[in-house]
Amino acid sequence: MQTTDPRLRPGCNTRLMEQRVNFITLATRDLEAVRTLYRDGLDWTPFIDVPGEIVFFQVGPGLMLGLFDAEKFDEDLQREHTTTGATGVTLSHNVENRDEVRATVDAMAAAGGTVLKPAQDGAFGGIFHAHVADPNGIIWEIAHNPGWHVDDDGTVSSA
């Protein structure tokens, strides 16, 4: 009797789900405030922008960040309006040096972000970082870590 591995696609020997993420979509209470921060304050170019609903930014090779109005997010999930925003999550943006950490934090604060932790040495790994919340509480870690490097093609390596 032949058994099938439930982790493989039916009829072939490849994984059912490849090890990758293409979209990160976060619910947001104030879509206009986050649009202003990312598009106007940080000069990010929207990939798709649907007023009152969602805005997508391409943030890496094959990776999109979607910021979805919280009510529309709940409607899409076909549930009661319970979403208050993203919690227990940080998005990290790695930069080349300490000055870039400071400059990025300053730009985010000027565009409506809230500095939660000013730029400082971290507790481990030689990291220098800060944490900034966007207008809806999405927390960004802005970091310089000499032990990590992101190549132009998106490959991450560590020393």
Side-chain angles (χ1 to χ4, degrees), residues 27-107:
T28 181
R29 295 179 310 272
D30 187 344
L31 183 60
E32 189 56 39
V34 295
R35 179 183 287 111
T36 298
L37 185 141
Y38 296 105
R39 184 194 62 201
D40 302 336
L42 297 178
D43 201 27
W44 286 17
T45 303
F47 183 79
I48 295 175
D49 190 347
V50 181
E53 190 168 329
I54 195 165
V55 60
F56 285 102
F57 297 96
Q58 185 155 8
V59 294
L63 183 60
M64 302 291 283
L65 174 63
L67 301 166
F68 206 164
D69 175 81
E71 287 185 25
K72 300 287 186 181
F73 181 86
D74 285 333
E75 287 174 18
D76 190 50
L77 293 175
Q78 298 178 339
R79 68 179 187 186
E80 296 296 317
H81 298 297
T82 59
T83 300
T84 59
T87 60
V89 174
T90 61
L91 300 176
S92 294
H93 179 73
N94 293 330
V95 297
E96 291 297 318
N97 57 57
R98 290 169 174 250
D99 289 339
E100 284 187 57
V101 171
R102 291 182 192 99
T104 303
V105 169
D106 290 348

